[in-house]
Each structure stands twice: as C-alpha cells, then as structure tokens.
Amino acid sequence: MISVTDQNVTFLKRGLARHAKKIAPGAERLVAREFGALPATQVIVTSDPGLMAELATDAEHELAPGADPRAVAKALRHHRRHLRDKYGVTVLSTDGVLVLINLRVARTTQDVNETLTHELVHACQLRDRPAREQHIGYVRYGLGTERLSRRKVRAYESLMDQREDQAHAAEHLAAGLPL
C-alpha cells in the first residue's frame, strides 16, 4: 500500500507534485510486478531538502530509541549535507518505509518517474523481516545505540551498494509510466 503526500512544495513545483500523486499507483504496480509486493510505503514529495533531512532523521531516531542527542544532531547535519543534491531517499520507519522525493532537484516528470521507481525498488528491498532487522541494526550502529563489528559494517555497506545498483538498473521501468 502506498500513500503520497506533499509538504512545502513551491508554487512552480506543484505540477510535479500532482504528477507524483497520479503516477504512484502505476509505479507501485510496475515495481511490484518485477520485485514483489511493497511494504506499507509513505511517499512525501517536497521542495525543501531541509525538511527531507528532518523527516529522515526523525524516522531513523524512532528506530533507535535512547540515542544520544548529539548523535542524532550529527545525523541531521549529515542528512542536510547529503540530501541537498539527491533526487530522493528511502528510509525505514516504524510503520514501513518512508520515501522522500526532492522536487528542488527533480525538474521534469521523467525525473519524478525515475526517482519514484528507483526509491520504490529500495522499499521492496527492505520489505522482509531479515532485511529490516539488518537495516535497523545498521541505523542503530550509526546512532551509537548498537555495536557492530567492522566486518558486519563493511558487509552491509557492500549490500547497500548492490541494492543501489539494482535500483539504478530498474529505472528503465519508469518508461511504462505516463509523462
């Protein structure tokens, strides 16, 4: 199940936000046909990368209760720096998966189609229990509430790189969506 909302969308980007809402069910069907059913997925479309950083950090913080506020602030700074130029990001949340799309970077409907498809592939990758638990462990490691060996950290980062390659390869599915 997928839901799409918009927050802090500038006037010039409202058309892209409407487009994202319109194509989301079709994108969900295309990705589900290729990769399997999606988990509960909330898509937020925004023109404010600062809001994206806050939402991503809040979702991660909910997965790591008891995290040191300094570690959370550090994660927020990291997200603010790195999400400025990103088209989108997928974050695990307590309810499922949170997909954030940056309309400041996405300039065309094709950009929105490819970004949504890419991020929904990441949502599929995080749907099963072992993948969720592994990712939660990595998030908790990043926020300092759980210890992981270097080997496990490197192995998970390598898995994330493989997942990123898989999502990039799946962007061709966006050709099946209307422009």
Side-chain angles (χ1 to χ4, degrees), residues 55-74:
L55 293 171
T57 304
D58 290 346
E60 288 180 346
H61 186 230
E62 288 178 11
L63 297 175
D68 184 10
R70 291 175 293 189
V72 175
K74 182 179 178 183

Side-chain angles (χ1 to χ4, degrees), residues 14-15 21 32-34 77 80 94 102 150 152:
R14 287 189 183 149
K21 288 179 182 180
R33 190 176 319 139
E34 189 80 18
R77 285 191 304 274
R80 281 190 177 143
T94 54
N102 185 358
R150 287 185 194 159
K152 285 185 178 182

Side-chain angles (χ1 to χ4, degrees), residues 49 79-88 102 104-106:
H79 284 309
R80 281 190 177 143
R81 260 191 322 273
H82 290 92
L83 293 182
R84 246 181 251 145
D85 302 325
K86 300 282 185 196
Y87 282 84
N102 185 358
R104 183 169 287 177
V105 178

Side-chain angles (χ1 to χ4, degrees), residues 61-119:
H61 186 230
E62 288 178 11
L63 297 175
D68 184 10
R70 291 175 293 189
V72 175
K74 182 179 178 183
L76 178 60
R77 285 191 304 274
H78 171 80
H79 284 309
R80 281 190 177 143
R81 260 191 322 273
H82 290 92
L83 293 182
R84 246 181 251 145
D85 302 325
K86 300 282 185 196
Y87 282 84
V89 66
T90 302
V91 183
L92 202 55
S93 68
T94 54
D95 301 342
V97 176
L98 176 64
V99 172
L100 304 166
I101 296 180
N102 185 358
L103 293 182
R104 183 169 287 177
V105 178
R107 300 191 190 291
T108 65
T109 55
Q110 182 65 30
D111 290 344
V112 172
N113 291 359
E114 289 176 0
T115 303
L116 186 59
T117 303
H118 179 104
E119 299 304 331

Side-chain angles (χ1 to χ4, degrees), residues 5-33:
T5 58
D6 56 33
Q7 293 184 18
N8 292 2
V9 176
T10 60
F11 180 76
L12 295 175
K13 299 292 184 167
R14 287 189 183 149
L16 290 178
R18 281 191 301 274
H19 177 74
K21 288 179 182 180
K22 182 177 82 174
I23 65 155
E28 179 182 19
R29 280 191 302 278
L30 287 172
V31 171
R33 190 176 319 139

